[in-house]
Amino acid sequence: MDIKIGELASRTDCQTVTIRYYEKEGLLPKPMRSSGNYRLYSEAHIERLNFIRHCRSLGMMLVEVRALLRFRDTPNQDCSQINALLDEHIQQVETRVEELSQLKSNLIALREKCVGAQTIESCGILQGLSHDSNLIDFKDALALQGLGCSS
Amino acid sequence: MDIKIGELASRTDCQTVTIRYYEKEGLLPKPMRSSGNYRLYSEAHIERLNFIRHCRSLGMMLVEVRALLRFRDTPNQDCSQINALLDEHIQQVETRVEELSQLKSNLIALREKCVGAQTIESCGILQGLSHDSNLIDFKDALALQGLGCSS
DNA sequence: ACTTGACCCTATAGTAACTATAGGGTTTTT
DNA sequence: AAAAACCCTATAGTTACTATAGGGTCAAGT
């Protein structure tokens, strides 16, 4: 029941280029090849890729996914580390939610500075951006690229 | 009152490499140079950089910052476009907050699947990641890199 | 058998917003 | 004068993909 990469992509809702990327990154083992050098995937690959995609959908970075895959590959190990990893990740998401909520409040406050102005010269928004320095309070907000992006 | 890049970095809480990056990206005009080829910045540069940093602190992408800078540079223009830009940005932040809140709920649900288990074999988390496919509902969650990152 | 379109392959570069590194020059402090 | 701090340009790296280039394979249609 070997399938080609396009079929695997369909079944896992993941692009072929991403599958090749995961293989290159070591997340997916190299599959067998056909005589024409096409990759041939087994059921185990499907399961593993689903696992990876599931983790990604939960916002985990690949480094985190790797850790979970290692746990998955050694089933006799203590699972407290998995708990810890997930707890840490949940904490990060919580922090991000709070930061973004704060950011939203700041943006709305700024937005309300332009009510009725007609030209840029009298625009409260640009003036707020130019002089209202109490908004630059949190450096983390600059890293609004999510949980795992380098800030 | 020309200052060197290190001083500008201090005053604006921005790294020198980032300042050079902004100059290269065209956000900051090229400054005059000393006889030793050091950059010499004026008060206008300080103001402009503060503006840029302020926008960044609000999660705006550089492409958005550029648009606002253009408005700032042409003060006789209609400011409705600034309003529109900010409204669009607020909407994006709202969407992101909602997505992350949903993600947090999903993570907590997953976390609660491991209560009392001792080994990975019986760990509800890994099993949830392996078989519980109803969590892979939103592709946007994969782009948990924030507002402007390519997904 | 040939053609065509779909699929596959590897390699490399690009995305966004920085940040690190390498190698060297200039200024300030000791 | 020497050392330390600061400055310069150029390039590569970060994360997780994604686009592009150039070419090979497979299957269906003619």
Side-chain angles (χ1 to χ4, degrees):
Chain A
M1 120 8 104
D2 292 338
I3 56 173
K4 281 175 289 187
I5 194 169
E7 178 72 24
L8 178 63
S10 285
R11 292 202 190 179
T12 53
D13 196 28
C14 174
Q15 293 190 60
T16 58
V17 297
T18 308
I19 295 171
R20 289 193 199 94
Y21 173 70
Y22 289 154
E23 178 187 322
K24 186 179 172 188
E25 290 292 317
L27 295 170
L28 277 179
K30 290 181 189 298
M32 295 179 55
R33 299 281 185 132
S34 69
S35 58
N37 203 29
Y38 283 20
R39 291 170 174 80
L40 299 176
Y41 295 99
S42 63
E43 184 66 35
H45 279 104
I46 299 171
E47 288 176 10
R48 193 172 178 96
L49 184 54
N50 272 324
F51 183 92
I52 293 166
R53 298 307 283 172
H54 196 162
C55 293
R56 288 293 302 132
S57 77
L58 295 173
M60 293 177 193
M61 293 162 51
L62 293 189
V63 65
E64 288 171 304
V65 179
R66 276 196 194 90
L68 288 177
L69 285 171
R70 277 197 298 269
F71 292 137
R72 186 169 176 268
D73 291 340
T74 56
N76 293 320
Q77 223 173 354
D78 181 18
C79 76
S80 61
Q81 293 179 71
I82 297 181
N83 292 346
L85 191 153
L86 205 58
D87 287 336
E88 172 66 26
H89 185 60
I90 290 173
Q91 185 57 242
Q92 289 169 7
V93 173
E94 274 180 352
T95 302
R96 178 53 59 193
V97 170
E98 284 161 16
E99 285 172 351
L100 283 178
S101 297
Q102 177 69 32
L103 171 61
K104 179 180 161 187
S105 300
N106 290 344
L107 282 165
I108 288 169
L110 178 64
R111 176 65 183 80
E112 284 167 354
K113 290 191 175 182
C114 184
V115 187
Q118 299 302 315
T119 68
I120 286 171
E121 241 169 342
S122 53
C123 179
I125 292 180
L126 285 190
Q127 283 168 14
L129 287 171
S130 292
H131 302 110
D132 196 352
S133 62
N134 67 352
L135 291 174
I136 319 187
D137 287 348
F138 41 104
K139 263 183 98 71
D140 285 348
L142 291 176
L144 284 170
Q145 303 175 333
L147 300 178
C149 278
S150 52
S151 56
Chain B
M1 127 5 110
D2 292 337
I3 57 173
K4 281 176 288 185
I5 196 169
E7 178 73 23
L8 178 64
S10 286
R11 293 201 188 180
T12 54
D13 196 27
C14 174
Q15 293 190 62
T16 57
V17 295
T18 309
I19 296 173
R20 290 192 198 95
Y21 173 70
Y22 289 155
E23 178 187 323
K24 185 180 173 187
E25 290 292 317
L27 295 170
L28 275 178
K30 289 182 190 298
M32 295 180 56
R33 299 280 184 135
S34 70
S35 57
N37 202 30
Y38 283 20
R39 292 170 171 82
L40 300 175
Y41 294 98
S42 63
E43 184 65 35
H45 279 103
I46 299 171
E47 288 176 11
R48 193 171 178 96
L49 183 52
N50 272 325
F51 183 94
I52 293 166
R53 299 307 284 172
H54 195 161
C55 294
R56 287 293 301 134
S57 77
L58 295 174
M60 293 180 195
M61 292 162 51
L62 293 190
V63 64
E64 288 171 305
V65 178
R66 278 198 191 86
L68 287 177
L69 285 170
R70 279 197 298 270
F71 293 138
R72 188 170 177 267
D73 291 339
T74 55
N76 292 321
Q77 224 174 352
D78 180 21
C79 76
S80 61
Q81 294 179 69
I82 297 181
N83 291 346
L85 191 153
L86 204 60
D87 286 337
E88 171 66 26
H89 185 59
I90 290 172
Q91 186 56 244
Q92 289 169 4
V93 173
E94 274 180 349
T95 303
R96 178 52 60 193
V97 169
E98 283 160 16
E99 286 171 349
L100 283 178
S101 296
Q102 176 70 33
L103 171 61
K104 179 180 160 187
S105 301
N106 291 344
L107 282 164
I108 288 168
L110 179 63
R111 176 64 182 81
E112 285 166 352
K113 289 192 176 182
C114 184
V115 187
Q118 299 301 315
T119 67
I120 286 170
E121 242 168 341
S122 53
C123 179
I125 292 180
L126 285 191
Q127 284 169 11
L129 287 171
S130 293
H131 302 110
D132 195 354
S133 61
N134 66 354
L135 292 174
I136 318 187
D137 286 347
F138 42 104
K139 266 184 97 73
D140 285 349
L142 291 177
L144 284 168
Q145 302 176 338
L147 300 177
C149 278
S150 55
S151 55

